[in-house]
Amino acid sequence: MSSTTAGPHILAYPYPDSGHIIPLLDLIHRLLARGLTVTVLINPDNLPLLHPLLSIHPSSIQPLVLSAPEVHDPPRKTRVAKVRAMSELYYPILLQWFRSHPSPPVAIISDYFLGWTHHLACELGVRRLVFSPSGAFGFSVLSSVWRDLPKPIDPNDMGSPISFPKIPHSPDFPWRQISRHYRNGKEGDPDWELFRSDMLDDIASWGIVFNSFAELERVYLQHLRAELGHDRVWAVGPLLPPEDSLIGLAKRGGSSSLPCHEVMTWLGARHDNSVVYVCFGSRTSLTRKQMDVLVDALEHSRVQFILCVGVGRGRHVGDDVGAIPEGFEDRVEGRGLVIKGWAPQVAILRHRAVGAFLTHCGWNSVLEGLDAGVVMLTWPMGADQFTNAKLLVEQLGVGIRAGEDMENIPESTELSRLLAESVNATRPERVRVKKLSDAALGAIKGGSSDKDLDELVKRLAAR
């Protein structure tokens, strides 16, 4: 659906990280096509990510460019320091901006890390929508943690189970897989209290928009509507560009060591479903042990593969960082392709030659894998990735468990076997993921996600 009539004006505020910005921009693209006017709060460094939308919808979208606040906290506190600094700097600026605007937004849609915008919206008398770049299952677990404050029987036992009986399927996780921000703090600690208040503010906000779709997480969407006591929970995903989109598949993040066309040419010479794509996201650096196991398994599996080695801004930086061993690329030449930096992941996964995806199970990667209909080998590293891996393997049956962080690093021979089996045409996971891929496409082609988005626009237009 598209419209030339000016619809409601909203302010979109992504958390300043590409994994959070990109899916929100994909949502904005769909809102603009439905006639909305959008102002996007963005930092100068991330402004290039907005350029494709500015070229497609020049009269309907406007950037609000604000310099990022300076943050000097240690890396493990980067997120809480960023959130606190943004709140302190932007709150008064946004108050003034709204009050002086000739046609101010009727709503704020902001990332779920930015719970403080709920109070801003309340002060301004507008609605605040939470945008969750994670799924409804992950959000259910995280909100339950911060609301109910579960504790292990033995806090020194990192394997002690934490159960969630109120959530469908009564999932449980070892204590080590619960949010480290929750585990490592305590009530009264300013950082811990900020994380909790952000989560509680998300729950209290007017509505929540998920980058998900009904066929994927129906039971958890229904659970959240019951828990929140209202129906303002929308699943509008998967938020990905169509293959012929002007937004483009090659430039959705950072720079790469290989141009997209070279990667596509390499894939074009491979048989259907024969290649394993390996990527652990843009924020995770593998440790030496993890990397050694991975490259040894890739070398001895004999499968064709693309290995993306990210920029590694994650928790292992400056600590115990693995590297591609000397001579590895020569030994796998013709069978393996190594990309250093950002990879055109959506384009790679959608290529007919790719049959499996070894992933850290970040939600964007999960959706991109499901959209492409590839079998997923799961190796979660932190955050909601453990929840996402459980969804893929235990509930949907489209994933194969390969490892878990540092606690369950597979033997290289076992990982080699799993890599080889993942491209087997007879695996049952392949049949199931193809069905989910079809459901994902149907959801955004007039199905549940389109209907949810139309309903959201209708509610925003109702003053």
Side-chain angles (χ1 to χ4, degrees):
M1 180 177 92
S2 62
S3 172
T4 57
T5 304
H9 179 198
I10 65 169
L11 173 69
Y13 182 5
Y15 182 76
D17 178 90
S18 57
H20 292 245
I21 296 172
I22 290 172
L24 183 51
L25 292 183
D26 287 331
L27 172 59
I28 291 168
H29 180 53
R30 296 188 187 180
L31 292 173
L32 291 167
R34 283 164 167 77
L36 269 66
T37 301
V38 183
T39 298
V40 184
L41 194 163
I42 201 158
N43 302 143
D45 288 347
N46 293 317
L47 186 58
L49 293 173
L50 198 56
H51 288 162
L53 282 179
L54 290 169
S55 65
I56 299 167
H57 305 279
S59 62
S60 303
I61 184 170
Q62 181 69 40
L64 175 59
V65 183
L66 297 179
S67 296
E70 293 186 11
V71 176
H72 303 290
D73 286 53
R76 291 186 71 86
K77 290 191 173 186
T78 297
R79 196 185 109 196
V80 70
K82 273 187 180 180
V83 170
R84 182 177 286 113
M86 287 188 291
S87 172
E88 293 171 352
L89 178 63
Y90 295 157
Y91 197 113
I93 293 174
L94 289 173
L95 271 180
Q96 177 61 29
W97 180 82
F98 262 85
R99 288 170 175 167
S100 62
H101 198 287
S103 181
V106 299
I108 298 171
I109 180 166
S110 56
D111 191 276
Y112 72 170
F113 283 170
L114 305 173
W116 60 268
T117 56
H118 168 62
H119 299 283
L120 174 69
C122 289
E123 185 168 349
L124 290 164
V126 301
R127 291 161 284 188
R128 188 252 173 155
L129 278 160
V130 181
F131 175 70
S132 176
S134 293
F137 181 27
F139 188 93
S140 296
V141 171
L142 189 62
S143 60
S144 180
V145 165
W146 288 106
R147 183 189 61 227
D148 301 333
L149 308 181
K151 300 294 182 187
I153 295 173
D154 179 2
N156 296 314
D157 178 7
M158 297 303 285
S160 185
I162 300 293
S163 60
F164 298 89
K166 297 177 184 177
I167 297 176
H169 303 299
S170 300
D172 61 74
F173 300 87
W175 179 234
R176 66 174 172 270
Q177 292 182 2
I178 301 301
S179 167
R180 66 179 176 86
H181 302 296
Y182 176 75
R183 283 188 289 109
N184 295 340
K186 60 182 179 180
E187 292 184 66
D189 174 74
D191 291 349
W192 191 94
E193 293 291 351
L194 180 60
F195 279 115
R196 187 178 190 217
S197 65
D198 264 358
M199 192 73 245
L200 297 181
D201 287 337
D202 285 345
I203 295 170
S205 292
W206 181 75
I208 306 178
V209 181
F210 286 100
N211 183 12
S212 188
F213 57 101
E215 190 70 20
L216 178 63
E217 295 194 287
R218 189 184 311 276
V219 66
Y220 299 110
L221 295 164
Q222 292 172 342
H223 163 74
L224 284 169
R225 291 182 184 111
E227 284 281 298
L228 298 172
H230 61 73
D231 65 350
R232 296 183 299 278
V233 175
W234 295 279
V236 300
L239 294 168
L240 297 169
E243 294 195 38
D244 59 351
S245 171
L246 292 175
I247 290 182
L249 299 176
K251 297 179 180 179
R252 287 175 62 79
S255 59
S256 169
S257 60
L258 283 177
C260 184
H261 70 88
E262 289 188 20
V263 179
M264 295 299 106
T265 299
W266 188 90
L267 284 170
R270 270 72 198 168
H271 294 299
D272 290 1
N273 300 315
S274 64
V275 175
V276 179
Y277 173 60
V278 182
C279 183
F280 290 89
S282 61
R283 297 195 62 82
T284 300
S285 291
L286 298 184
T287 64
R288 292 184 183 92
K289 184 176 181 180
Q290 289 170 329
M291 182 66 81
D292 289 347
V293 165
L294 175 61
V295 296
D296 188 64
L298 287 170
E299 185 170 349
H300 292 96
S301 68
R302 308 309 301 169
V303 298
Q304 299 183 94
F305 66 88
I306 293 177
L307 170 61
C308 176
V309 184
V311 292
R313 295 172 291 157
R315 57 198 164 123
H316 299 310
V317 170
D319 184 8
D320 175 20
V321 183
I324 300 289
E326 188 175 350
F328 172 74
E329 293 183 63
D330 293 333
R331 293 193 298 274
V332 299
E333 187 176 2
R335 182 170 64 84
L337 188 67
V338 177
I339 301 175
K340 297 170 184 175
W342 193 274
Q345 181 161 291
V346 175
I348 290 171
L349 289 170
R350 285 177 175 173
H351 196 283
R352 57 160 184 82
V354 176
F357 180 17
L358 175 55
T359 172
H360 68 313
C361 300
W363 189 246
N364 290 332
S365 292
V366 166
L367 289 177
E368 289 160 6
L370 291 175
D371 166 79
V374 299
V375 173
M376 280 176 273
L377 292 159
T378 67
W379 193 342
M381 298 291 177
D384 64 336
Q385 296 158 23
F386 300 114
T387 314
N388 301 340
K390 186 182 285 286
L391 180 70
L392 292 174
V393 176
E394 298 178 15
Q395 298 180 26
L396 300 174
V398 299
I400 303 166
R401 184 174 286 106
E404 286 184 330
D405 197 17
M406 289 294 294
E407 301 301 323
N408 183 14
I409 299 176
E411 295 291 332
S412 63
T413 52
E414 173 63 9
L415 183 57
S416 177
R417 182 186 69 81
L418 291 176
L419 288 166
E421 286 191 4
S422 68
V423 291
N424 188 322
T426 63
R427 287 214 60 112
E429 293 88 356
R430 190 168 304 282
V431 176
R432 298 187 194 108
V433 78
K434 290 297 183 185
K435 289 181 179 178
L436 262 181
S437 176
D438 291 342
L441 180 62
I444 58 173
K445 295 289 185 181
S448 61
S449 293
D450 266 356
K451 290 173 182 175
D452 264 21
L453 193 52
D454 289 340
E455 174 62 22
L456 170 59
V457 170
K458 181 180 177 182
R459 297 283 280 269
L460 288 173
R463 302 297 173 112

